[in-house]
């Protein structure tokens, strides 16, 4: 791999032992993949930070880096943790878990992380204040955010594992490979959904799963489909990232970079509306009385969606069963300020800040869960829950007895 003089110097220890080690790993991984150079990054997002996921080994890895003087050299945001810090008991964590999680957060803070604790870093003020120009290179973990960044924000990132995103944040560089390159972002296969209307969040999520399950090859899929809004874009990103290894989908009209002049797909795949509908019918919920938990906010719900949920619940007296919404703490603070949070609380909604049902040890085995997220469906089913899919509006109707 060809390195710049600056990179050679970092490897020799100019920026300290930790930065040298971090860069050494990035170079080794890059060489294994066949990258011929590194690329400076402008931002990093570290995933895999819940104590339940990384355990003692992960804590020690982070503490060791922090104690050796590792510091993030670019703005770095952080994924959700294993419980809501303001109400840990709800998430089935004990003292030992809380101590482990706190040590992770201390180490990340010592390295300079912005403790956003959300999987939608692009919705935080910490990220927005960076004003990254289109085409900026970043190193993000969290597959749903990676797909969203490449597909809808015009950023460039591979799907990094948590540790590699963290090391890239320290080194300030990643390997120039895959979705960082122009050629790595050009689709070969185009999927097309004929529809009279835009796809809502659940249809978009199922579409992402259908593509994720069948798309092959390193090139991102291209997609002709109308999506209803940012919620649908987030759910499509999350399900695509969950069901396959892909880090981007080129959505005509939404992906903010042009394809090369004269580009034509080598292969076209039609996805029939009935295919979406039959998958949705298969996953549709039973009678409302048979539901234990309604879960939304995977990826984390934004402040705007929280307001929408509040307006859907405005005339509802109280929801039946648990209605849990995973949100970034920042959205919570805003919702507290304008009365949205108190309206939701008064209707019986629980706000799960800085965490979610999947990265926390929340007990789901045996529960009947309804969600509008395919990603949540995918992971909660594997944790022993019986999970159904429904759009947010219908979840509210079910939970309020108007179904
Ligand atoms: Fe976010 Fe948890 Fe879903 S981290 S993407 S809400 S699994």
């Amino acid at each position: 791999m060809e390195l710049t003089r600056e990179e050679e110097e970092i490897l020799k220890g100019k920026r300290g032992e930790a930065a040298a080690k971090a860069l050494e790993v990035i170079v080794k991984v890059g060489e294994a993949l066949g990258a011929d150079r590194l690329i400076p990054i402008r931002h990093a997002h570290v995933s895999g930070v819940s104590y339940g996921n990384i355990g003692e080994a992960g804590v020690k890895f982070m503490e060791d880096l922090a104690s050796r003087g590792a510091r993030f050299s670019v703005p770095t945001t952080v994924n959700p943790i294993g419980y809501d810090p303001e109400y840990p008991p709800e998430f089935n964590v004990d003292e030992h878990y809380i101590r482990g999680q706190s040590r992770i957060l201390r180490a990340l803070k010592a390295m300079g992380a912005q403790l956003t604790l959300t999987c939608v870093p692009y919705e935080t003020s910490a990220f927005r204040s960076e004003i990254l120009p289109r085409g900026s290179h970043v190193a993000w973990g969290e597959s749903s955010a990676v797909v969203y960044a490449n597909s809808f924000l015009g950023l460039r990132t591979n799907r990094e594992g948590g540790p590699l995103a963290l090391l890239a944040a320290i080194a300030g560089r990643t390997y120039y490979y895959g979705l960082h390159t122009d050629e790595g972002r050009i689709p070969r296969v185009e999927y097309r959904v004929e529809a009279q209307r835009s796809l809502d969040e659940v249809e978009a999520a199922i579409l992402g799963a259908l593509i994720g399950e069948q798309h092959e090859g390193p090139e991102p899929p291209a997609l002709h489909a109308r999506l209803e809004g940012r919620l649908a874009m987030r759910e499509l990103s999350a399900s695509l990232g969950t069901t396959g290894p892909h880090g981007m989908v080129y959505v005509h009209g939404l992906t903010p970079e042009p394809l090369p002049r004269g580009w034509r797909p080598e292969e076209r795949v039609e996805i029939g509306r009935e295919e979406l509908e039959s998958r949705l019918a298969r996953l549709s919920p039973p009678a409302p009385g048979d539901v234990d938990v309604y879960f939304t906010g995977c990826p984390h719900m934004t402040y705007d969606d929280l307001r929408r949920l509040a307006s859907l619940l405005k005339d509802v007296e109280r929801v039946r069963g648990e209605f849990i919404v995973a949100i970034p703490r920042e959205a919570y603070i805003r919702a507290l300020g304008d009365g949205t949070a108190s309206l939701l609380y008064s209707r019986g909604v629980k706000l799960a800040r800085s965490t979610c049902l999947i990265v926390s040890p929340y007990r789901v085995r045996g529960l009947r869960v309804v969600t509008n997220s395919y990603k949540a469906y995918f992971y909660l089913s594997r944790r022993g829950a019986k999970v159904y899919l429904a759009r947010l509006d219908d979840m509210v109707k079910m939970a309020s007895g108007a179904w």
Side-chain angles (χ1 to χ4, degrees):
M1 180 180 294
E2 202 162 311
L3 299 177
T4 63
R5 181 175 303 184
E6 167 81 4
E7 288 156 0
E8 296 282 9
E9 285 174 356
I10 296 173
L11 280 178
K12 284 187 196 138
K14 178 188 166 194
R15 273 183 33 212
E17 179 202 0
K21 269 271 161 261
L23 191 60
E24 195 184 312
V25 175
I26 300 284
V27 169
K28 282 206 174 112
V29 174
E31 282 176 342
L33 291 167
D36 56 8
R37 67 182 170 101
L38 301 176
I39 186 95
I41 55 166
R42 306 273 302 258
H43 187 272
H45 180 69
V46 180
S47 61
V49 296
S50 90
Y51 180 69
N53 283 356
I54 61 176
E56 274 309 300
V59 178
K60 291 208 173 103
F61 169 70
M62 291 193 198
E63 285 184 334
D64 185 51
L65 279 169
S67 69
R68 285 165 191 263
R71 295 296 174 265
F72 296 139
S73 58
V74 294
T76 301
T77 48
V78 177
N79 230 33
I81 57 172
Y83 56 87
D84 179 337
E86 290 179 48
Y87 197 52
E90 182 84 8
F91 295 87
N92 188 29
V93 292
D94 57 15
E95 280 305 316
H96 175 74
Y97 192 110
I98 293 171
R99 262 199 306 281
Q101 187 67 72
S102 306
R103 285 167 60 198
I104 292 170
L105 292 181
R106 263 200 304 279
L108 285 166
K109 188 142 192 256
M111 289 188 271
Q114 295 158 328
L115 298 181
T116 48
L117 311 188
T118 181
C119 45
V120 291
Y122 44 89
E123 295 286 349
T124 62
S125 53
F127 176 76
R128 287 207 180 115
S129 65
E130 301 304 330
I131 318 180
L132 299 184
R134 187 179 303 164
S136 293
H137 296 271
V138 301
W140 283 14
E142 175 47 54
S143 62
S144 66
V146 166
V147 177
Y148 196 93
N150 282 308
S151 312
F152 303 118
L153 301 177
L155 300 177
R156 295 187 170 208
T157 176
N158 286 318
R159 269 177 77 154
E160 304 294 0
L164 263 193
L166 187 138
L167 295 174
I170 296 168
R173 288 157 175 76
T174 189
Y175 38 88
Y176 186 65
Y177 174 81
L179 291 168
H180 285 285
T181 68
D182 289 343
E183 19 353 312
R185 301 173 69 84
I186 302 176
R188 198 178 57 75
V189 182
E190 180 175 273
Y191 299 81
R192 181 179 282 268
V193 184
E194 287 310 337
Q196 301 304 317
R197 58 172 180 80
S198 306
L199 302 177
D200 63 41
E201 88 266 24
V202 168
E203 292 164 328
I206 289 175
L207 175 61
L210 290 172
I211 296 174
E213 287 161 3
Q214 64 183 288
H215 185 70
E216 288 179 351
E219 304 87 0
L223 174 63
H224 257 295
R226 287 161 54 200
L227 305 177
E228 203 168 75
R230 291 200 347 249
L231 178 56
M233 287 150 69
R234 284 203 306 278
E235 293 303 339
L236 174 84
S237 300
S239 61
L240 185 83
T242 298
T243 50
H246 322 295
M248 177 182 184
V249 51
Y250 189 99
V251 186
H252 295 284
L254 288 176
T255 299
E257 64 194 62
L259 284 169
R261 189 184 290 270
W263 177 83
R264 291 269 176 284
E266 288 171 31
E267 192 185 333
R268 285 199 168 91
V269 180
E270 294 288 334
I271 295 185
R273 187 96 200 174
E274 47 321 321
E275 221 176 316
L276 292 180
E277 275 159 16
S278 74
R279 175 83 68 113
L280 181 54
R282 211 152 25 90
L283 300 178
S284 285
D290 294 339
V291 177
D292 301 304
V293 176
Y294 297 89
F295 172 58
T296 184
C298 174
H300 271 180
M301 200 176 237
T302 64
Y303 168 74
D304 290 343
D305 289 323
L306 216 44
R307 300 252 308 169
R308 186 173 148 243
L309 176 62
S311 83
L312 290 172
L313 283 163
K314 193 162 46 68
D315 300 321
V316 171
E317 206 169 306
R318 207 171 166 81
V319 291
R320 302 169 182 181
E322 300 270 29
F323 200 112
I324 303 174
V325 185
I327 51 169
R329 187 174 157 72
E330 190 175 304
Y332 171 68
I333 301 291
R334 282 185 75 187
L336 260 190
D338 69 1
T340 303
S342 56
L343 185 138
L344 292 169
Y345 282 141
S346 71
R347 304 306 192 264
V349 170
K350 288 188 175 167
L351 299 174
R353 297 148 291 202
S354 309
T355 188
C356 74
L357 297 196
I358 293 102
V359 297
S360 72
Y362 190 94
R363 278 201 191 92
V364 294
R365 176 162 296 282
L367 294 182
R368 293 154 302 183
V369 181
V370 176
T371 178
N372 61 345
S373 160
Y374 195 93
K375 180 169 182 173
Y377 158 78
F378 186 92
Y379 285 111
L380 295 177
S381 301
R382 277 154 186 76
R383 294 244 307 262
K386 178 74 195 139
V387 191
Y388 304 94
L389 271 185
R391 41 186 77 87
L392 185 63
D393 309 40
D394 292 335
M395 286 170 64
V396 169
K397 282 186 201 145
M398 291 178 76
S400 59
W403 181 250

